[in-house]
Amino acid sequence: MHDYRSMFDLSGKDALVVGAGSGIGRAGAEALAAFGARVLCADVDAGAARKTAEGIAGAGGRAEPLELDMTDTASVEAAAARAGTPDALVCTPSINVRKPLLSLTDEEFDRVVDLNLKGTFRVIRRFAPGMAERGSGSIVAFSSIRAQTVEPGQGVYAATKAGTVQMLRALAAELGERGVRVNAIAPGIVETPLTDQIKDSPEWYEAYARKTALARWAKPHEIAGMIVYLASDASSYVTGALMFVDGGWTAVDGRYMPPLPAV
């Protein structure tokens, strides 16, 4: 009989979590460490990365902080020189400019694309080759429900999240025979710094909660289980997938209310 109890065991594995300073990234780093991984807690905010690593160490886990700016190729290279080739790579950071598409400036458009899509590419481009040379590895990057469902005011964000999925699927096809799995996670509404603008409006907060089948927002730790699953041998035959953790948002039809304010 297969040793099913060991499927989630990450003992002896190294995991690099980009965006570990807060939100889903922090929860993912904590969860990976809880299952035995040594976690490199990377973030553009070195202080936040250090705080996450210290918290994991204080709970008996193994973790180290690492400064990494996804928008800066030199920063990614410097982080890679310290980190080496991890067994699992998790890339979580995103930004959004919430406004009607036709009122976006070039700078706003470029800023969202540069982090969400190109930043993910920069990180994967640097770490995936080592995994392929070794013959093993799991890459997990974050998409969103916006890869499939859109709403007014999130056009460029949705474009980057759909683009991330297709980019990852292409990489899954290219690296599958070399033992590297590549998957995307699509969270729904999660209480993180990225969603502060929505949470600060009681009307918006409640409208979003009602859109889910569970009628509530998620906490970051509720996304961490999918990160552990995709990083571990429990998902050894899963690649090129888009895994929804959205409280039923994409399964339930509905209207987006209140409407986005006019420009």
Side-chain angles (χ1 to χ4, degrees):
M1 181 181 293
H2 184 76
D3 182 11
Y4 293 103
R5 296 186 63 181
S6 69
M7 293 173 67
F8 291 90
D9 185 12
L10 296 171
S11 300
K13 303 291 187 180
D14 290 334
L16 170 61
V17 179
V18 184
S22 65
I24 294 171
R26 176 183 293 172
E30 293 170 347
L32 291 167
F35 279 86
R38 181 180 75 95
V39 183
L40 293 166
C41 302
D43 202 279
V44 66
D45 184 337
R50 183 170 57 255
K51 185 175 180 180
T52 299
E54 290 172 350
I56 291 172
R62 296 180 301 149
E64 299 176 16
L66 185 66
E67 185 174 0
L68 190 156
D69 180 355
M70 290 171 54
T71 67
D72 183 351
T73 299
S75 175
V76 175
E77 290 290 340
R82 289 186 54 196
T85 301
D87 297 288
L89 169 64
V90 180
C91 193
T92 71
S94 294
I95 57 172
N96 187 16
V97 175
R98 188 180 175 83
K99 61 193 297 188
L101 187 65
L102 299 184
S103 66
L104 285 168
T105 66
D106 284 359
E107 187 277 332
E108 290 168 334
F109 185 98
D110 291 344
R111 180 153 47 92
V112 176
V113 172
D114 193 42
L115 177 65
N116 298 4
L117 184 59
K118 193 172 182 179
T120 300
F121 167 71
R122 289 186 185 98
V123 172
I124 290 174
R125 178 179 61 184
R126 181 58 182 81
F127 288 97
M131 293 180 172
E133 291 171 9
R134 186 182 57 209
S136 66
S138 174
I139 295 171
V140 181
F142 270 71
S143 178
S144 165
I145 57 173
R146 295 296 166 228
Q148 285 198 355
T149 65
V150 299
E151 69 173 295
Q154 299 205 44
V156 63
Y157 179 82
T160 64
K161 292 306 180 178
T164 294
V165 173
Q166 295 302 85
M167 181 173 67
L168 294 177
R169 284 173 172 165
L171 189 63
E174 293 168 1
L175 298 185
E177 292 186 358
R178 302 185 70 180
V180 181
R181 296 184 297 107
V182 188
N183 294 288
I185 295 177
I189 48 172
V190 188
E191 295 188 352
T192 71
L194 180 65
T195 56
D196 280 344
Q197 182 182 3
I198 304 170
K199 291 186 297 178
D200 289 343
S201 168
E203 186 180 16
W204 274 102
Y205 184 89
E206 180 59 26
Y208 270 52
R210 289 197 308 269
K211 180 64 178 69
T212 71
L214 299 178
R216 65 177 178 84
W217 287 58
K219 301 292 186 182
H221 73 267
E222 295 182 286
I223 314 301
M226 184 61 75
I227 294 174
V228 173
Y229 169 68
L230 292 176
S232 72
D233 289 341
S235 61
S236 59
Y237 201 62
V238 179
T239 195
L242 175 59
M243 311 295 282
F244 286 92
V245 189
D246 66 355
W249 182 295
T250 53
V252 180
D253 193 15
R255 296 182 63 188
Y256 295 104
M257 296 296 289
L260 188 74
V263 179

